[in-house]
Amino acid sequence: MSEEKFDAIVIGAGMAGNAAAYTMASRGLKVLQLERGEYPGSKNVQGAIMYANMLEKIIPDFRDDAPLERHLVEQRFWMMDDTSHVGIQYRSDDFNESRPERYTIIRAQFDRWFSRKVRAAGATVLCETTATELAHEGGKVIGVRTDRTGDIILADTVVLAEGANGLLGTRAGLRQTPTPESVALAVKEIHFLPEDVIDQRFGLHGNEGCVIEAAGTISRGMAGLAFLYTNKESISLGIGCLVSDFAATCESPYELLEAFKNHPSIKHLIAGTEVKEYAAHLIPEGGYKAIPALFGDGWVVVGDAAQLNNAVHREGSNLAMTSGRIAGEAIFDVKSRGGRMTKKNLALYKTMLDESFVIKDLKKYKDMPALLHTNSRNFFMTYPKLMSEASKNFMRVDGTPKIENERATTAAFIKARSRLGLVSDAVRLAFAWR
Amino acid sequence: MTVAATKLRVEDKLFQNRYLVDPGRPHITVRPHEHPSANLRALTRICPAKCYELNDKGQVEIAADGCMECGTCRVLCEASGEVVWNYPRGGFGVLFKFG
Ligand SMILES: Cc1cc2nc3c(=O)[nH]c(=O)nc-3n(C[C@H](O)[C@H](O)[C@H](O)COP(=O)(O)OP(=O)(O)OC[C@H]3O[C@@H](n4cnc5c(N)ncnc54)[C@H](O)[C@@H]3O)c2cc1C
Ligand code: SF4
C-alpha cells in the first residue's frame, strides 16, 4: 500500500471529472485524477453543444483559450417522414453577443484543454490508467486499485465521474448497471468541409453556427433522435435510440445513420464531405426516476454515471459539469470544516444539487421517459407522417378546394390515432411537460 | 435508400478510426453456449461496430478489435452472464480524435 494519501481521487477526465478535479484542486485540495484513455477525451463522444453558463461558473474566462467551434445563432427542429420534413426554425442575431451562451465543440480537443486547466490548478492527472476496483474498509470507500499496480491508492473521497457505462460503481454495488430501457445508443460521424461551404449551406457568417435536431420515421418507430451540428470546418451528425428498442427491433445503428445521411433533407447538406471518424456511445435517458444514490461513506457519483442527463433537452455535459463542480465544492466545504468524508457529511452534495437546475430540470420531466418509451410508435412514426401529410395538404395548389384538404388532414389524424387516442396523447404529453 | 444502406460495410467506417489493440487480451468475451438468447443474437445486428457474428453452428462469436467501447452489449448481456465485459487496459482500445 503506497503511503501517499489524497484528499480525493477523481475517476474519469470527462466533463464531470474535470469540473470536480478543477474545483477541488484550485481550492488547494490534494487531488489525483485517473483517466483510462491515452489522453482526456480519447474515449468520449458528444454531439456536441457546450453551454457557456455552466463552464463560466468553473472557469470564468474560458473564452480566452478554450477550443470552441461556433457559437449558435440558429436552431432547427425537424419532424421527418421518409421524404420530407416539417420544421420549426429559430434564428436570432441576439445570439451574436460578446459572451455567447452556446457553442459547438469537439470533445477530444475540449477535454484536453479542460484537463490542462486541471493540471495547472495543481491536480495530479494520470492517463492510460484504468481504475479497476474500489477499495473498502468497514463499509467505507478508502481508495481505488488500478491496472498499473495492484496497490491501493488511498483517498478520503472517491469521486465517480466514470460516465454512462461506469463499471466501478456498479461492480461495487453502489448503483445498478444501466438497464436497456434507461440508456440510448448513439452513433455519430464527423464530416469535414471547407469553412466557407458550411457558411454558405447554412447561411452563416464568421463563427456563427446552426444546429438541427430531428425526430420521426428516421428512427423507424423507436424512441430516438438525430442531430446535425455545424463546427468550424466540419459537421457532426448522428442518431440515437433506446437500447431496449434496438434489441426489440434488431435495427442496425449504422444503417439508421446511413439512411439519415441519405434522407433528401440531409443529403445536400453533407454532399462532398470527407468522413474522418465514426463513433458510438451510450446516453443516459432514464431521467429523474433513474438517479441512483448519489453519495455514501467516502464516495460521491457525478455526471452521466449518476444518470444526470436531460434527454428531453439534449443536455448532459452541463449537468455533468455542474454536478462535478457542486461535488467538489461540497467536499471542500466538509474538509475545510475539519469534517470526515462520511455519508452524513457528504449528504451536503445532494442538498446543494437539489437546489441547482440539475435536479429541478430532471424533476420537471420525471414522467417524460416513460411516456415516450411506451408511446414511441405514435410519437416517432405516426405523428411525423401525419404532420408531413398535413403540411403537404396545406401547401399543394392543385385545384382541390381548401376545405376538402383540411377535412382530409383531420380524417388522417383520426384514422391513425382515433379521437380518443389523440386526446389522450395530448393530455399525457401536457402533463409530462408540466 | 435502403439498398445503399444495406450495402454499407461497417468495416469501411471503422477503418477511419484509430485503435491501439492489446494483442491476446480481448476485453469482451462471449460465454460458450448452445443456443444464443434473443439479446445475444440481437447483438449481431445492433453492435455499432459489428463485432458480433453468428458462426455456422448458430452460436454468437465476438471479434472485439473494432469495438468502440460503447457498452451496449454489456447493458444487454452482462446480467445474464452471456457476455463478460471489461474496459481494455489503460491506453488501449479505441482512440477518438474528435469524439
Ligand atoms: C452522441 C452524443 C451526443 C451528445 N450531445 C450532447 C450535447 O450536444 N450537449 C450536451 O450537453 N450533452 C450531450 N451529450 C451528453 C454528454 O456527452 C454527457 O452528458 C457528458 O459527456 C457526461 O460527462 P461525464 O463526465 O459524466 O462522462 P464522460 O464525458 O463520458 O466521461 C467519463 C470519463 O471517465 C473515464 N473512465 C471511465 N471509467 C474509468 C475507469 N474505470 N478508470 C479511469 N477512467 C475511466 C472515461 O474514459 C471518460 O473519459 C451527448 C452524448 C452523446 C453520446
Ligand atoms: S461495447 Fe459496443 S462496440 Fe463494443 S462490442 Fe459491445 S456493442 Fe459492440
Side-chain angles (χ1 to χ4, degrees), chain A residues 43 171 188-189 277-278, chain B residues 13 17 48 85 92 97 99:
Chain A
K43 300 291 183 183
R171 295 258 158 97
K188 177 195 162 182
E189 278 180 356
E277 190 167 81
Y278 167 61
Chain B
K13 276 182 181 289
N17 294 355
W85 208 101
F92 289 92
K97 292 166 290 191

Side-chain angles (χ1 to χ4, degrees), chain A residues 242-311:
Chain A
L242 282 183
V243 168
S244 53
D245 281 355
F246 271 126
T249 59
C250 286
E251 290 284 359
S252 111
Y254 40 88
E255 285 177 14
L256 286 191
L257 184 61
E258 288 307 299
F260 177 61
K261 281 157 55 184
N262 281 305
H263 190 285
S265 299
I266 296 291
K267 199 170 181 170
H268 64 283
L269 295 174
I270 54 167
T273 56
E274 190 190 348
V275 185
K276 291 208 178 162
E277 190 167 81
Y278 167 61
H281 206 276
L282 294 178
I283 307 178
E285 302 262 334
Y288 184 73
K289 291 179 177 169
I291 300 174
L294 293 170
F295 61 93
D297 278 322
W299 63 273
V300 294
V301 56
V302 293
D304 275 10
Q307 291 261 347
L308 302 175
N309 198 302
N310 184 343

Side-chain angles (χ1 to χ4, degrees), chain B residues 11-79:
Chain B
E11 293 81 347
D12 296 338
K13 276 182 181 289
L14 297 172
F15 187 69
Q16 308 285 340
N17 294 355
R18 255 183 83 212
Y19 294 93
L20 191 61
V21 177
D22 199 356
R25 282 187 173 219
H27 62 288
I28 305 172
T29 50
V30 175
R31 192 180 61 184
H33 53 274
E34 279 292 311
H35 304 287
S37 69
N39 276 352
L40 192 54
R41 203 164 330 109
L43 288 175
T44 63
R45 289 277 303 156
I46 73 176
C47 163
K50 208 171 186 308
C51 293
Y52 290 85
E53 271 185 355
L54 216 53
N55 67 19
D56 351 323
K57 291 186 222 121
Q59 290 143 0
V60 172
E61 291 176 350
I62 181 169
D65 290 356
C67 172
M68 294 179 282
E69 299 159 32
C70 70
T72 299
C73 56
R74 175 187 178 222
V75 165
L76 277 173
C77 291
E78 186 186 60

Side-chain angles (χ1 to χ4, degrees), chain A residues 11-18 34-37 40-51 107 111 129-132 161-168 186-188 227 229 280-284 302-305 308-309 314-321, chain B residues 87:
Chain A
I11 311 298
M15 290 290 198
N18 283 337
L34 304 176
E35 166 56 48
R36 66 188 193 87
S42 62
K43 300 291 183 183
N44 300 343
V45 182
Q46 192 180 326
I49 299 173
M50 195 278 294
Y51 303 88
R107 275 296 293 271
D111 288 7
T129 309
T130 305
T132 48
E162 41 178 345
N165 182 33
L167 297 179
L168 274 191
V187 285
K188 177 195 162 182
F227 62 88
Y229 299 158
H281 206 276
L282 294 178
I283 307 178
V302 293
D304 275 10
L308 302 175
N309 198 302
R314 317 312 294 169
E315 292 175 23
S317 64
N318 51 338
L319 282 71
M321 281 192 275
Chain B
Y87 284 125

Side-chain angles (χ1 to χ4, degrees), chain A residues 85-105:
Chain A
H85 71 266
V86 182
I88 308 175
Q89 191 161 349
Y90 184 70
R91 183 181 176 115
S92 171
D93 203 41
D94 292 351
F95 292 127
N96 279 318
E97 53 212 328
S98 60
R99 298 154 71 81
E101 48 126 46
R102 289 186 304 164
Y103 297 87
T104 48
I105 55 166

Side-chain angles (χ1 to χ4, degrees), chain A residues 121-283:
Chain A
T124 305
V125 183
L126 272 188
C127 290
E128 300 187 296
T129 309
T130 305
T132 48
E133 202 187 313
L134 288 176
H136 293 266
E137 193 179 83
K140 183 183 184 308
V141 172
I142 56 159
V144 299
R145 284 180 208 277
T146 72
D147 61 354
R148 289 214 173 216
T149 66
D151 292 349
I152 298 173
I153 313 175
L154 293 172
D156 288 337
T157 348
V158 174
V159 178
L160 295 161
E162 41 178 345
N165 182 33
L167 297 179
L168 274 191
T170 57
R171 295 258 158 97
L174 304 181
R175 58 173 195 273
Q176 212 194 357
T177 303
T179 59
E181 295 76 24
S182 67
V183 278
L185 163 63
V187 285
K188 177 195 162 182
E189 278 180 356
I190 186 158
H191 288 237
F192 280 77
L193 265 184
E195 197 174 333
D196 56 318
V197 179
I198 295 181
D199 288 351
Q200 263 167 26
R201 283 188 192 176
F202 293 88
L204 304 167
H205 303 277
N207 283 332
E208 290 173 348
C210 163
V211 309
I212 302 174
E213 321 243 34
T217 63
I218 43 169
S219 66
R220 302 184 180 164
M222 300 185 281
L225 202 88
F227 62 88
L228 183 157
Y229 299 158
T230 54
N231 305 316
K232 203 163 273 171
E233 40 191 34
S234 62
I235 291 173
S236 298
L237 84 170
I239 183 162
C241 300
L242 282 183
V243 168
S244 53
D245 281 355
F246 271 126
T249 59
C250 286
E251 290 284 359
S252 111
Y254 40 88
E255 285 177 14
L256 286 191
L257 184 61
E258 288 307 299
F260 177 61
K261 281 157 55 184
N262 281 305
H263 190 285
S265 299
I266 296 291
K267 199 170 181 170
H268 64 283
L269 295 174
I270 54 167
T273 56
E274 190 190 348
V275 185
K276 291 208 178 162
E277 190 167 81
Y278 167 61
H281 206 276
L282 294 178
I283 307 178

